[in-house]
Amino acid sequence: MSRRAELEAVYRAAWYEVQTPDNNIRRFRVGERVPELDTLAAEKGWAWLSAFNPGSQLLSESENLRRHQALLNNLVNTQRAFLPAASGDDTGQWPVEHAVCLLDIDEITARTLAIRYGQMAFLHAQPGEAVRLCWV
């Protein structure tokens, strides 16, 4: 099995979650619809992105937290709307990753950010559609 096929299986099996503006946690998986985010995303859609573990290579917690803070700083400095997010897997093989849910963002812009933070993939959804796994 190729590395990409292995990672695709891992990414599809993972859970993803977003803290909504009313402080609820909405957990979902690739292929599901998330109406709570659709209402916040405007016409461009929304994306789930992490700066943790670039290239799907495990880094130390301190390095991952440093990378996450750099992502947050970039989003604040560019005035991009986002919500706190995270991901993990049911087996506990991977540690929980901090992430962001970017609002009103198209797939091309989300891909640019994913590349900037060394990610192999990210999630994107258009309002009314299922969450898609997008490779960079």
Side-chain angles (χ1 to χ4, degrees):
M1 182 182 295
S2 72
R3 170 114 166 105
R4 180 169 164 162
E6 289 174 6
L7 289 174
E8 179 143 358
V10 169
Y11 295 158
R12 288 185 177 280
W15 53 259
Y16 302 88
E17 63 185 26
V18 174
Q19 183 178 337
T20 61
D22 57 1
N23 288 322
N24 288 317
I25 301 296
R26 175 57 162 91
R27 187 171 281 193
F28 59 91
R29 294 184 190 271
V30 172
E32 295 180 358
R33 288 194 55 230
V34 188
E36 301 89 333
L37 297 177
D38 290 350
T39 60
L40 301 170
E43 35 187 79
K44 293 181 184 175
W46 58 271
W48 184 100
L49 176 68
S50 175
F52 270 46
N53 302 318
S56 293
Q57 300 296 316
L58 286 173
L59 296 180
S60 68
E61 182 179 4
S62 62
E63 178 60 16
N64 278 325
L65 291 173
R66 185 196 66 72
R67 293 176 55 78
H68 181 67
Q69 189 60 54
L71 171 59
L72 294 177
N73 291 345
N74 174 271
L75 297 175
V76 169
N77 290 339
T78 58
Q79 300 181 354
R80 179 152 307 274
F82 68 94
L83 298 169
S87 70
D89 72 275
D90 294 330
T91 67
Q93 180 181 4
W94 286 81
V96 172
E97 293 189 6
H98 296 288
V100 294
C101 177
L102 303 160
L103 303 173
D104 194 26
I105 188 167
D106 60 73
E107 185 178 334
I108 293 169
T109 305
R111 179 173 281 106
T112 300
L113 280 169
I115 291 168
R116 179 175 182 174
Y117 290 94
Q119 299 304 301
M120 297 184 71
F122 61 98
L123 306 180
H124 189 266
Q126 296 285 355
E129 295 182 5
V131 177
R132 292 180 303 110
L133 177 64
C134 302
W135 295 93
V136 296

